[in-house]
mmCIF file of all heavy atoms in Angstrom:
data_model
loop_
_atom_site.group_PDB
_atom_site.id
_atom_site.type_symbol
_atom_site.label_atom_id
_atom_site.label_comp_id
_atom_site.label_asym_id
_atom_site.label_seq_id
_atom_site.Cartn_x
_atom_site.Cartn_y
_atom_site.Cartn_z
ATOM 1 N N ARG A 200 68.456 -96.666 218.338
ATOM 2 C CA ARG A 200 67.369 -97.522 217.882
ATOM 3 C C ARG A 200 66.062 -96.933 218.338
ATOM 4 O O ARG A 200 65.861 -96.659 219.528
ATOM 5 C CB ARG A 200 67.546 -98.926 218.443
ATOM 6 C CG ARG A 200 66.462 -99.892 217.994
ATOM 7 C CD ARG A 200 66.857 -101.297 218.355
ATOM 8 N NE ARG A 200 65.709 -102.177 218.076
ATOM 9 C CZ ARG A 200 65.061 -102.850 219.014
ATOM 10 N NH1 ARG A 200 65.429 -102.751 220.280
ATOM 11 N NH2 ARG A 200 64.063 -103.645 218.684
ATOM 12 N N THR A 201 65.173 -96.731 217.404
ATOM 13 C CA THR A 201 63.874 -96.149 217.692
ATOM 14 C C THR A 201 62.910 -97.255 218.017
ATOM 15 O O THR A 201 62.774 -98.207 217.245
ATOM 16 C CB THR A 201 63.356 -95.329 216.500
ATOM 17 O OG1 THR A 201 64.333 -94.352 216.175
ATOM 18 C CG2 THR A 201 62.035 -94.670 216.833
ATOM 19 N N ALA A 202 62.291 -97.167 219.132
ATOM 20 C CA ALA A 202 61.354 -98.208 219.546
ATOM 21 C C ALA A 202 60.138 -98.180 218.665
ATOM 22 O O ALA A 202 59.635 -97.120 218.304
ATOM 23 C CB ALA A 202 60.932 -98.004 221.016
ATOM 24 N N PRO A 203 59.635 -99.323 218.282
ATOM 25 C CA PRO A 203 58.420 -99.344 217.474
ATOM 26 C C PRO A 203 57.251 -98.733 218.220
ATOM 27 O O PRO A 203 57.229 -98.618 219.440
ATOM 28 C CB PRO A 203 58.207 -100.834 217.203
ATOM 29 C CG PRO A 203 59.536 -101.458 217.464
ATOM 30 C CD PRO A 203 60.167 -100.640 218.529
ATOM 31 N N ARG A 204 56.255 -98.403 217.392
ATOM 32 C CA ARG A 204 55.081 -97.779 217.968
ATOM 33 C C ARG A 204 54.358 -98.704 218.905
ATOM 34 O O ARG A 204 53.861 -98.303 219.963
ATOM 35 C CB ARG A 204 54.146 -97.333 216.832
ATOM 36 C CG ARG A 204 52.917 -96.559 217.321
ATOM 37 C CD ARG A 204 52.166 -96.002 216.142
ATOM 38 N NE ARG A 204 51.787 -97.069 215.245
ATOM 39 C CZ ARG A 204 51.166 -96.865 214.085
ATOM 40 N NH1 ARG A 204 50.920 -95.631 213.691
ATOM 41 N NH2 ARG A 204 50.847 -97.887 213.329
ATOM 42 N N GLU A 205 54.318 -99.969 218.585
ATOM 43 C CA GLU A 205 53.631 -100.925 219.436
ATOM 44 C C GLU A 205 54.355 -101.077 220.766
ATOM 45 O O GLU A 205 53.741 -101.248 221.804
ATOM 46 C CB GLU A 205 53.508 -102.274 218.724
ATOM 47 C CG GLU A 205 52.627 -102.227 217.480
ATOM 48 C CD GLU A 205 51.170 -101.942 217.835
ATOM 49 O OE1 GLU A 205 50.785 -102.221 218.976
ATOM 50 O OE2 GLU A 205 50.454 -101.423 216.967
ATOM 51 N N ASP A 206 55.701 -101.046 220.716
ATOM 52 C CA ASP A 206 56.464 -101.172 221.958
ATOM 53 C C ASP A 206 56.227 -99.977 222.861
ATOM 54 O O ASP A 206 56.080 -100.112 224.091
ATOM 55 C CB ASP A 206 57.946 -101.303 221.654
ATOM 56 C CG ASP A 206 58.234 -102.610 220.920
ATOM 57 O OD1 ASP A 206 57.363 -103.497 220.964
ATOM 58 O OD2 ASP A 206 59.316 -102.715 220.314
ATOM 59 N N ARG A 207 56.191 -98.785 222.258
ATOM 60 C CA ARG A 207 55.932 -97.607 223.082
ATOM 61 C C ARG A 207 54.547 -97.667 223.685
ATOM 62 O O ARG A 207 54.323 -97.275 224.835
ATOM 63 C CB ARG A 207 56.080 -96.348 222.207
ATOM 64 C CG ARG A 207 57.525 -96.077 221.775
ATOM 65 C CD ARG A 207 57.678 -94.626 221.326
ATOM 66 N NE ARG A 207 56.795 -94.323 220.217
ATOM 67 C CZ ARG A 207 57.149 -94.448 218.960
ATOM 68 N NH1 ARG A 207 58.354 -94.876 218.645
ATOM 69 N NH2 ARG A 207 56.295 -94.139 217.997
ATOM 70 N N ALA A 208 53.622 -98.192 222.861
ATOM 71 C CA ALA A 208 52.268 -98.292 223.419
ATOM 72 C C ALA A 208 52.204 -99.303 224.539
ATOM 73 O O ALA A 208 51.464 -99.145 225.518
ATOM 74 C CB ALA A 208 51.289 -98.672 222.305
ATOM 75 N N ALA A 209 52.975 -100.387 224.433
ATOM 76 C CA ALA A 209 52.973 -101.393 225.489
ATOM 77 C C ALA A 209 53.642 -100.877 226.751
ATOM 78 O O ALA A 209 53.274 -101.245 227.868
ATOM 79 C CB ALA A 209 53.669 -102.654 225.006
ATOM 80 N N LEU A 210 54.667 -100.016 226.584
ATOM 81 C CA LEU A 210 55.351 -99.485 227.752
ATOM 82 C C LEU A 210 54.550 -98.380 228.435
ATOM 83 O O LEU A 210 54.756 -98.124 229.630
ATOM 84 C CB LEU A 210 56.724 -98.943 227.348
ATOM 85 C CG LEU A 210 57.731 -99.992 226.841
ATOM 86 C CD1 LEU A 210 59.004 -99.305 226.362
ATOM 87 C CD2 LEU A 210 58.036 -100.999 227.939
ATOM 88 N N ASP A 211 53.707 -97.748 227.671
ATOM 89 C CA ASP A 211 52.904 -96.651 228.225
ATOM 90 C C ASP A 211 51.462 -97.107 228.333
ATOM 91 O O ASP A 211 50.738 -97.106 227.338
ATOM 92 C CB ASP A 211 53.027 -95.419 227.335
ATOM 93 C CG ASP A 211 52.388 -94.189 227.991
ATOM 94 O OD1 ASP A 211 51.912 -94.335 229.124
ATOM 95 O OD2 ASP A 211 52.393 -93.126 227.345
ATOM 96 N N PRO A 212 51.003 -97.555 229.508
ATOM 97 C CA PRO A 212 49.624 -98.065 229.609
ATOM 98 C C PRO A 212 48.574 -97.024 229.363
ATOM 99 O O PRO A 212 47.426 -97.334 229.063
ATOM 100 C CB PRO A 212 49.559 -98.598 231.052
ATOM 101 C CG PRO A 212 50.981 -98.727 231.486
ATOM 102 C CD PRO A 212 51.732 -97.674 230.763
ATOM 103 N N SER A 213 48.923 -95.750 229.530
ATOM 104 C CA SER A 213 47.906 -94.708 229.352
ATOM 105 C C SER A 213 47.496 -94.518 227.909
ATOM 106 O O SER A 213 46.454 -93.931 227.616
ATOM 107 C CB SER A 213 48.423 -93.384 229.927
ATOM 108 O OG SER A 213 49.576 -92.969 229.191
ATOM 109 N N ARG A 214 48.330 -95.024 226.953
ATOM 110 C CA ARG A 214 48.006 -94.849 225.538
ATOM 111 C C ARG A 214 47.256 -96.058 225.042
ATOM 112 O O ARG A 214 47.557 -97.196 225.426
ATOM 113 C CB ARG A 214 49.288 -94.667 224.711
ATOM 114 C CG ARG A 214 50.093 -93.420 225.129
ATOM 115 C CD ARG A 214 51.301 -93.264 224.253
ATOM 116 N NE ARG A 214 50.920 -93.102 222.843
ATOM 117 C CZ ARG A 214 51.799 -92.915 221.862
ATOM 118 N NH1 ARG A 214 53.086 -92.894 222.145
ATOM 119 N NH2 ARG A 214 51.378 -92.769 220.637
ATOM 120 N N PRO A 215 46.251 -95.876 224.169
ATOM 121 C CA PRO A 215 45.470 -97.023 223.671
ATOM 122 C C PRO A 215 46.333 -97.906 222.766
ATOM 123 O O PRO A 215 47.173 -97.419 222.000
ATOM 124 C CB PRO A 215 44.333 -96.377 222.894
ATOM 125 C CG PRO A 215 44.867 -95.038 222.489
ATOM 126 C CD PRO A 215 45.771 -94.589 223.618
#
Side-chain angles (χ1 to χ4, degrees):
R200 181 169 172 244
T201 304
R204 185 172 57 183
E205 295 294 336
D206 294 343
R207 291 199 301 269
L210 295 175
D211 189 2
S213 63
R214 299 182 60 178

